Amino acid sequence: ARPPDWVMRAWTAAANRWLLRDPRERASFHFVVQTVMRNSMHRLFLSAYLGVGTAVIVEALATLLIGTEHHTSRDITVAMYSLPLTLSFFLLSGLRVIFTVPAELRANWTFQLAEDEGRALLLAGTRKAVLSMGIAPLFLGTFAVFTWFWGWRPAAVQALFGASLAWLLMEVLFSNFSKVPFTCTYQPGKLNLPLAGLLYLASFAVYAYAMASFDYWLLEQPWRMAVYLVLAATALVVWFVCRERYLEDGLKLLFDDQPDPEVRTLGIG
């Protein structure tokens, strides 16, 4: 199901006016958003990730409802804090995976033409697409739900914490992603699945549960949360500066992913 046409037109006009100042950002942004919305294969993969995340959330809620008398108020609060973090982890992971699967390779020539002068803008459009269709809607919904439980001020703080953490996770996931989504060939079998699975589970446990406990600790003293938000904003700014310098040093976007060589050498000499 799609939103009404007037909603899409208003959202597109607002994004073009306030978020996307350069045409190359607009090209990357709208290409990513429309491919995710229109391509059934990519929607299926993303729905699978969101389905697993939703199942984890439902299981956590069922555990809380069944055993409420056995949990302290802290346990219940931490579990509530972990719910949007869980969904954001699976959402961002799903987007990172489907971005590597090409949609229509014959259409990538326009991005190749714009790559030399606008690689930073093309990548910026990709990140803004993730922010606008993933992080922003999720934590606006978190703000609405938590406002009903605790009031708008605690809900606003909680939404800011979750959004900043999701933004940091997005930057980590896309730190080595030197592609315009859906425009590069895909070579399967290059990932060490057992190792990647262990890292994925460990990262999920730290992000969804350890960070929820950390969130509870921050909220015990308001100044702790203020310090965290300042440090998170500083880390993002430093990351932006370093990324811009890295792109200026001659990074080339990847449009043809080469398979691993049949014979590996040590590269000596």
Side-chain angles (χ1 to χ4, degrees), residues 37 41 65 90 169 189 201 259:
M37 293 179 61
M41 180 181 65
L65 292 175
F90 282 98
L169 176 63
L201 290 176

Side-chain angles (χ1 to χ4, degrees), residues 105-156:
L105 289 175
R106 292 176 298 175
N108 71 4
W109 62 269
T110 183
F111 293 108
Q112 294 190 53
L113 289 177
E115 188 262 343
D116 285 340
E117 297 295 331
R119 63 178 67 94
L121 294 167
L122 294 177
L123 295 178
T126 298
R127 284 173 168 79
K128 289 180 179 180
V130 175
L131 286 170
S132 64
M133 70 179 178
I135 296 176
L138 174 60
F139 288 99
L140 286 174
T142 298
F143 171 72
V145 172
F146 285 174
T147 296
W148 186 76
F149 281 103
W150 300 314
W152 71 269
R153 289 184 179 177

